[in-house]
Each structure stands twice: as C-alpha cells, then as structure tokens.
Amino acid sequence: MINNPKFNSLAPLAEDALSRELNTYQLSLLSLGHFVARATSISNTSLPCHRVIYVTENPIRYIIRGSVLTLKKGDVLYTPPNTIYSAGGVDDQVPPEFLYLYFHVLPRHREQNFIRIMETAGKIRAFHALRSPVEFYFHTIMEEYEKQRPGYYHKIHSYLMLLVMELLRQKGGYREADLAPRANAASALVLNKAASYIAANIREPLRISQISHVCGVSESYLYKIFSSALGLSPKEYILNCKMEYALQLLQEKNMTVTQIARELGFSNPNHFSNAFFKVTGKRPSEYMSLPPSSVSG
C-alpha cells in the first residue's frame, strides 16, 4: 500500500458491467481480409464461426431469418455461427466490397450468452460505423495483419475486443439487467468439465453416457444444464464442435473427405457428409473446391 495522502485520496477505478461481462470471454480470430464479391449473389450459405463485416464500397442486400437488410458503406453486420443467409449486390454491375473478421468465442459453454448480448431481442442487427471507433478498429486490425510488426497478434486480438465493446455500446446502453443469468457454480463446473472432455476427445465417437460418467452426473442432468446454458443438447454441441474442427481440416486441404470422416470418428464418409451439411448448409466437397477467399465471404 502506497503511503501517500494525495494518492490515497484518489477514487479507485471501478469495473463496469460491460467490462465484467467481456472479461468472461476469450475471442480468437480465425480469418480476416478484404472481400470483393465475384458472383452476383450467394444463396443459403453459412459459416460455423462468429462473423463481423464492415462495408467499404457499394451496398449489399442480405436476407437473414426472413428479414431483408440493405447495408451501405460504413455499415457493420454481426452474425453468430451457422447463420444461414443469402446476399447479393443492390446493383448487379457494381459488386459489394467489405472487410471481414471471423472468430471463435471461448469458453464454449458461454457462447450462447455472448450471442444474446451481441444481438437485440434475438434479431440480427446492423450498425452504422462510418467515422466511428469501429471503423478505426477494423482498419487498424487490417494494418497490423498486413505489416505483422512484433506483437501484432496480441494487438489484433485487443482491437477485436474493443470493436465488440463498441458495437455493444451502440445498442443503446448496457445495464446490469442486460447481463444473461449465469449458471450456478455446480452447473458451470460440469459444463467446463464436459466441454474440456469433448474438446480433448473430438476425434472419438463420443457417447452422452460416457461424458456424464466422466462428469459424475446423470445423463438427464447433463441434458438439462446444456439446454439451459447453451440452448443445445449435448449431442448437438458435440456435432457443432466436430464440424468446426472438420472445417479447419477442409481448409487446410491436405486430407480427403474420407480421411477427415475417419479422423472425427464417423463410421463412413456419407454419415460425415450428411452431418456437415446439417450444420453448415454445404457438402464437404463444396468447401474443398473453393479457394480460401471464397470460403471467407
């Protein structure tokens, strides 16, 4: 303790509600870049990651969950994982351009809470960010990635968190009441243990009975806490995790679909292909045939 009257009289820095909430998440950037649409439209596609885009040139029209959104220069759109969307330019002769960031959110058992606070009443929302801190954060992230100066990785992730914070500020204020209710300590412990076990054994054909035994709880209780905290069953959560890992392997392009199916514990490639389509809306072969810039759109 510093024994100085002037120092001791200073008001302590108090952590606010939004800062406390964001401190419970770790954002891990997967991909970023500047995208120029080559096709006139994209129909019913999705990505198994969180996505934020910033429109730099020419408007783009999205159809998401039955709603039509027209984004103009300076607009930002956030979509959670596995959001099925259609998109196209407003003018067929002028392709849209935008900056994109794709990222994961950890720990996985808090991911649904992150989605809830990023969206407004469960609806997709666009933000206008021209000449705002969000625009600055996007361009700074791109500059750091291009120049890759020492410490760029840490700086990129720091600015990603600042960007998310600024989007939440633009929702019209952040109050204690906005915070999603947290699971009790016992449930959180089970979720952490289950998520860690699933991640460590993602290549195995995981069974719910096996996971509940490792966690020391009944299968019904495991289903209850997964449904309450994530809005998913344990089986759905496992499938999402496996397909997320599958997408990484497909993008590396050094394994066949059969090899990836075997790597993830599927009995045959068709079962894997059907599961992949259920989660992403595309077949594995479609992803393998796309160049990296087309996958990141």
Side-chain angles (χ1 to χ4, degrees):
M1 183 70 179
I2 299 176
N3 188 18
N4 183 304
K6 290 185 178 180
F7 179 85
N8 293 339
S9 67
L10 296 176
L13 184 63
E15 189 176 23
D16 62 280
L18 177 55
S19 298
R20 281 198 301 274
E21 180 71 8
L22 290 179
N23 274 338
T24 66
Y25 305 104
Q26 178 186 342
L27 308 187
S28 178
L29 196 61
L30 297 172
S31 180
L32 70 160
H34 184 186
F35 185 82
V36 180
R38 295 181 178 84
T40 55
S41 64
I42 299 172
S43 298
N44 296 326
T45 190
S46 68
L47 291 165
C49 52
H50 299 261
R51 174 176 181 263
V52 182
I53 69 166
Y54 173 76
V55 181
T56 54
E57 293 292 339
N58 309 321
I60 180 171
R61 182 178 291 115
Y62 276 89
I63 301 175
I64 304 173
R65 300 177 187 170
S67 298
V68 179
L69 295 171
T70 298
L71 304 181
K72 300 178 181 179
K73 182 177 180 178
D75 285 345
V76 171
L77 178 69
Y78 162 79
T79 52
N82 306 316
T83 297
I84 297 175
Y85 65 89
S86 298
V90 174
D91 183 347
D92 290 341
Q93 304 303 314
V94 186
E97 296 183 34
F98 55 84
L99 305 177
Y100 65 86
L101 303 172
Y102 298 149
F103 60 96
H104 285 324
V105 174
L106 299 172
R108 295 192 188 281
H109 72 265
R110 294 210 21 92
E111 187 171 34
Q112 289 301 314
N113 289 340
F114 179 86
I115 292 169
R116 289 188 193 103
I117 66 171
M118 284 296 290
E119 295 182 336
T120 303
K123 296 179 180 178
I124 300 293
R125 182 180 173 186
F127 307 84
H128 189 66
L130 193 64
R131 292 183 292 277
S132 77
V134 172
E135 180 185 34
F136 169 75
Y137 297 148
F138 256 104
H139 286 295
T140 301
I141 288 171
M142 298 300 167
E143 180 186 355
E144 287 294 326
Y145 179 72
E146 289 171 4
K147 295 185 177 179
Q148 297 197 3
R149 295 169 291 203
Y152 81 95
Y153 180 86
H154 181 73
K155 191 168 184 179
I156 281 174
H157 282 81
S158 297
Y159 274 102
L160 174 61
M161 183 63 83
L162 289 171
L163 188 154
V164 166
M165 181 187 68
E166 195 63 34
L167 292 180
L168 290 171
R169 282 177 169 179
Q170 291 188 30
K171 286 179 65 174
Y174 195 87
R175 306 177 304 278
E176 293 286 351
D178 293 329
L179 300 179
R182 299 173 184 268
N184 62 47
S187 297
L189 184 63
V190 172
L191 275 171
N192 273 319
K193 195 168 185 178
S196 297
Y197 183 82
I198 290 167
N201 296 275
I202 196 66
R203 298 176 182 84
E204 305 298 327
L206 292 161
R207 298 188 302 274
I208 308 305
S209 58
Q210 176 185 6
I211 299 168
S212 63
H213 176 74
V214 169
C215 295
V217 298
S218 66
E219 290 184 46
S220 61
Y221 182 71
L222 194 67
Y223 271 95
K224 180 180 178 180
I225 63 172
F226 264 82
S227 177
S228 175
L230 306 181
L232 298 170
S233 70
K235 185 176 180 180
E236 290 170 329
Y237 176 81
I238 292 168
L239 184 62
N240 285 349
C241 289
K242 282 182 176 286
M243 295 308 104
E244 186 178 286
Y245 182 49
L247 183 63
Q248 295 176 28
L249 296 177
L250 286 167
Q251 289 175 334
E252 290 171 5
K253 299 183 184 300
N254 55 10
M255 296 176 70
T256 66
V257 172
T258 300
Q259 288 172 328
I260 294 173
R262 190 180 301 118
E263 173 78 3
L264 290 170
F266 284 84
S267 57
N268 65 63
N270 287 334
H271 290 167
F272 164 67
S273 180
N274 290 336
F276 190 86
F277 182 81
K278 180 180 178 181
V279 172
T280 68
K282 288 185 179 292
R283 296 291 176 183
S285 56
E286 293 180 72
Y287 270 100
M288 295 189 80
S289 64
L290 292 174
S293 60
S294 297
V295 174
S296 303

